[in-house]
């Protein structure tokens, strides 16, 4: 910025960039409504534009947008998503979900993760990369599936089944990802005993942290007046979860999900906190998607091309086979379900990209390739996914 006649402080630069990102998101919303393009894809493309400008025009390959502010914003957005997902796991919803949704969902999750992991290992990719992408492949974008199903007006069993699966699918993804990261830490460490303790702490510590924050929050929620006090409570929960999980070295996604689940099941007025977070969630998600795209290392795109293509094809194969197995296991309802139902669960967005950022931080050697593969595949799955949902419903 040497051409600017007056100096810009880092704080002023960060504030201006935040304002510009939010302003661009308004334009992306308008484009998405008029073209039916996924707004998530548009925001990621904005981030890719930032990466191109920095790395190709300014020739700053190591520059990070917003410097140290980007990481906390991404962490807060991920914790918000996980907290809201935990709120979906109520006893009432799980009873209403029924065995059919659990059967198909677990089939798609298990077969899909196995297909991606085993396939990448067979193609010669490193263990850390294969297991990370296998766990990331589990996550689905519920918004894309829900919007497509509602737009179709379909109320048959297949439509209700899809809505039930995507309501809990990302929760499976967080659990699988937490187990995968802990397992990789143990498998790749030279000291098995220390690694096992670290893996146990990452998962067990997350459960303890989620419980330690969730129980008092469940008691407090509903005792505060609706409005500003509840909003302050909701923001305090998110910031405490994000900060303490980072400090203690535990899974922030799992801790936030446990907290949300406890509040949803133990508090009579739990919807107040979740509603307040839903009201403020989108600006943080805007930062998250744009910064995720801007984090892409363009120099690694060529070497990540093979990984990206393999991941896309293996994930599609895993979804098809998982859905087919789930329909076969459904037995008495088999005739009402399409065999290709797994294809309707291909959209992939925020949770998957968040997992990729966490995995890249955990395994920096493979970080650039992992992030490139997930960002590129997200653009493909977010564009292709709604069309596949339509196909399955037809």
């Amino acid at each position: 910025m040497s051409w600017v006649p007056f100096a810009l402080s880092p704080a002023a630069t960060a504030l201006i960039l935040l304002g510009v990102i939010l302003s661009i998101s308004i334009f992306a919303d308008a484009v998405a409504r008029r073209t039916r393009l996924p707004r998530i894809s548009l925001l990621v493309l904005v981030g890719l534009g930032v990466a191109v400008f920095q790395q190709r025009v300014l020739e700053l390959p190591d520059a990070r947008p917003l410097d140290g502010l980007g990481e906390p914003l991404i962490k807060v957005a991920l914790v918000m998503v996980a907290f809201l997902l935990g709120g979906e796991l109520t006893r009432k919803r799980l009873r209403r979900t029924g065995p059919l949704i659990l059967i198909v969902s677990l089939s798609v999750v298990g077969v899909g993760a196995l297909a991606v992991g085993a396939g990448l290992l067979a193609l010669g990719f490193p263990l850390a990369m294969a297991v990370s992408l296998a766990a990331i492949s589990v996550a689905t974008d519920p918004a894309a599936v829900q919007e497509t199903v509602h737009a179709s007006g379909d109320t048959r069993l297949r439509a209700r089944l899809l809505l039930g699966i995507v309501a809990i699918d990302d929760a499976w993804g967080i659990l699988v990802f937490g187990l995968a990261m802990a397992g990789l830490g143990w498998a790749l460490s030279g000291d098995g005993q220390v690694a096992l303790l670290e893996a146990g702490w990452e998962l067990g510590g997350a459960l303890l942290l989620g419980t330690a924050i969730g129980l008092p929050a469940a008691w407090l929620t509903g005792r505060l007046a609706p409005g500003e006090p509840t909003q302050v409570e909701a923001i305090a929960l998110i910031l405490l979860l994000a900060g303490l999980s980072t400090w203690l070295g535990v899974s922030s996604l799992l801790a936030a999900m446990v907290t949300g689940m406890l509040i949803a099941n133990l508090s009579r007025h739990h919807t107040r906190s979740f509603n307040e977070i839903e009201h403020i969630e989108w600006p943080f998600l805007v930062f998250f998607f744009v910064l995720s795209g801007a984090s892409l290392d363009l120099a690694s795109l060529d070497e990540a091309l093979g990984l990206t293509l393999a991941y896309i094809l293996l994930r599609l194969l895993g979804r098809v086979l998982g859905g087919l197995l789930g329909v076969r296991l459904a037995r008495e309802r088999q005739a009402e379900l399409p065999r290709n139902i797994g294809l309707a669960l291909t959209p992939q967005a925020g949770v998957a990209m968040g997992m990729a950022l966490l995995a890249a931080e955990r395994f920096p050697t493979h970080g650039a390739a992992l992030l490139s593969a997930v960002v590129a595949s997200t653009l493909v799955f977010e564009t292709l996914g709604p069309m596949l949902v339509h196909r399955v419903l037809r």
Side-chain angles (χ1 to χ4, degrees), residues 104 107-112 114-116 313-329 339-343:
V104 177
S107 297
V108 172
V109 166
V111 175
L114 184 62
V116 173
L313 294 175
L314 287 169
R315 187 171 185 266
L316 286 172
L317 177 64
R319 298 270 136 168
V320 172
L321 295 178
L324 184 60
L325 176 62
V327 170
R328 285 186 176 276
L329 293 174
R339 294 187 176 184
N340 62 349
I341 195 168
L343 283 176

Side-chain angles (χ1 to χ4, degrees), residues 251-267:
S251 171
S252 57
L253 297 180
L254 189 57
M257 195 170 74
V258 170
T259 300
M261 186 171 63
L262 286 173
I263 293 174
N265 284 284
L266 298 179
S267 175

Side-chain angles (χ1 to χ4, degrees), residues 65-139:
L66 302 177
D67 290 327
L69 189 58
E71 187 178 339
L73 285 173
I74 288 173
K75 177 75 79 173
V76 168
L78 287 174
V79 168
M80 282 183 175
V81 171
F83 179 77
L84 293 174
L85 281 173
E88 301 290 334
L89 300 179
T90 60
R91 291 187 296 269
K92 182 179 178 182
R93 165 162 282 193
L94 291 175
R95 281 197 301 267
R96 192 171 67 240
T97 294
L100 179 61
I101 290 176
L102 289 176
I103 288 171
V104 177
S105 175
L106 289 173
S107 297
V108 172
V109 166
V111 175
L114 184 62
V116 173
L120 291 176
L121 283 175
L123 291 172
F125 291 101
L127 178 66
M129 197 176 284
V131 175
S132 297
L133 285 174
I136 290 168
S137 72
V138 171

